[in-house]
């Protein structure tokens, strides 16, 4: 009855994308904004950076304006 290793079944993979949350802009963030936790929220679907990366984004600087609810992408940020 199985090999004892837990892994998602093929039928569960598409559900993971819908159930997972992505990091998005909590408000419009102008170019040059130094990100704080209050600038970011997690929303579904999980097609962007996952919530487990939130702490890696704090303190980074936006290199372009991000609209409210826009997915956060690495290309929109500098190291700060």
């Amino acid at each position: 009855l199985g090999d004892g290793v837990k892994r998602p079944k093929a039928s569960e993979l598409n559900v993971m994308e819908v159930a997972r949350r992505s990091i998005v802009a909590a408000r419009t963030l102008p170019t040059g904004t130094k990100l704080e936790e209050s600038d970011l929220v997690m929303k579904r679907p999980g097609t962007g950076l996952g919530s487990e990366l939130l702490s890696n984004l704090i303190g980074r600087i936006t290199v372009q304006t991000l609209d409210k609810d826009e997915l956060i992408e690495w290309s929109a940020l500098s190291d700060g």
Side-chain angles (χ1 to χ4, degrees), residues 39-71:
D39 295 324
L40 306 169
V41 294
M42 275 58 73
K43 292 192 175 184
R44 290 185 175 120
T47 56
L49 297 177
S51 59
E52 71 278 1
L53 296 173
L54 180 65
S55 63
N56 296 343
L57 302 181
I58 306 304
R60 292 185 184 257
I61 308 294
T62 59
V63 296
Q64 64 189 54
T65 297
L66 298 170
D67 294 327
K68 180 180 178 178
D69 294 328
E70 184 173 342
L71 288 171

Side-chain angles (χ1 to χ4, degrees), residues 5-51:
V5 177
K6 289 191 170 221
R7 61 179 74 87
K9 294 182 179 190
S11 62
E12 297 172 318
L13 293 176
N14 63 343
V15 174
M16 290 172 60
E17 183 177 297
V18 176
R20 185 176 163 271
R21 295 176 187 263
S22 295
I23 303 170
V24 301
R27 59 182 177 82
T28 298
L29 301 172
T31 301
T33 300
K34 185 173 184 176
L35 293 180
E36 299 178 2
E37 193 167 349
S38 62
D39 295 324
L40 306 169
V41 294
M42 275 58 73
K43 292 192 175 184
R44 290 185 175 120
T47 56
L49 297 177
S51 59

